[in-house]
Structure formats: C-alpha cells, structure tokens
C-alpha cells in the first residue's frame, strides 16, 4: 500500500465541523439548548485553527533531497 501525505489542517477542519454537528444533534435530541447563531463562530474558529495548523505543518525544514529522492542542484551528499 502506498503511503500518502498527511494533511493535519484538513483533519482539524473536519473535527471542528463534526463538533458543530454534535452540538446541533444534542440540541435536536433535547439534551441541551443551542442557539441558532452558535454554528457560525464555531465554524469560523475551526477554519482559523485549521489554517494555522496547515501553516505550521507547511513550515518544516527541507532535507537535502527533493520528494522524488533526487538531490537538489548545488547540494552534494556528505557520505
């Protein structure tokens, strides 16, 4: 099975949208009372958090090799 890239921003966004769904499911079943305007701030905060997560994940040191495994031009291996 081939490995795939991780996308933590998408994971955080999905979890935040799932949290909104849980809040409104609890409201629909009568477990608690959620005002109608709660969803917008929760979704916006979740998207902001997902963007920050994706940006932090994107800022990582690059190695001496490109994703294809070939060395970058101008860099020699230190073997």
């Amino acid at each position: 099975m081939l490995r795939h890239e991780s996308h933590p921003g998408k994971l955080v966004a999905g979890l935040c949208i799932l949290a909104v769904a849980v809040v409104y499911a609890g409201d629909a079943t009568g477990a608690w009372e959620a005002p109608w305007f709660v969803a917008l701030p929760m979704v916006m905060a979740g998207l902001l958090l997902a963007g920050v997560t994706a940006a932090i994940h994107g800022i990582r040191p690059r190695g001496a090799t490109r994703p294809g495994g070939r060395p970058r031009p101008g860099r020699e291996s230190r073997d």
Side-chain angles (χ1 to χ4, degrees):
M1 181 175 197
L2 296 175
R3 297 184 62 103
H4 62 278
E5 293 182 27
S6 64
H7 299 283
K10 290 181 181 181
L11 175 66
V12 171
L15 290 175
C16 291
I17 298 298
L18 185 63
V20 173
V22 167
V23 166
Y24 279 106
D27 183 41
T29 59
W32 55 76
E33 189 70 29
W36 64 269
F37 55 85
V38 168
L40 187 62
M42 285 182 71
V43 169
M44 289 299 150
L47 290 176
L48 177 70
L49 185 61
V52 169
T53 303
I56 290 173
H57 180 70
I59 303 172
R60 59 180 187 256
R62 304 287 184 197
T65 59
R66 286 190 256 172
R70 298 181 309 270
R72 290 184 180 170
R75 297 217 180 194
E76 294 121 16
S77 63
R78 296 180 179 169
D79 292 315

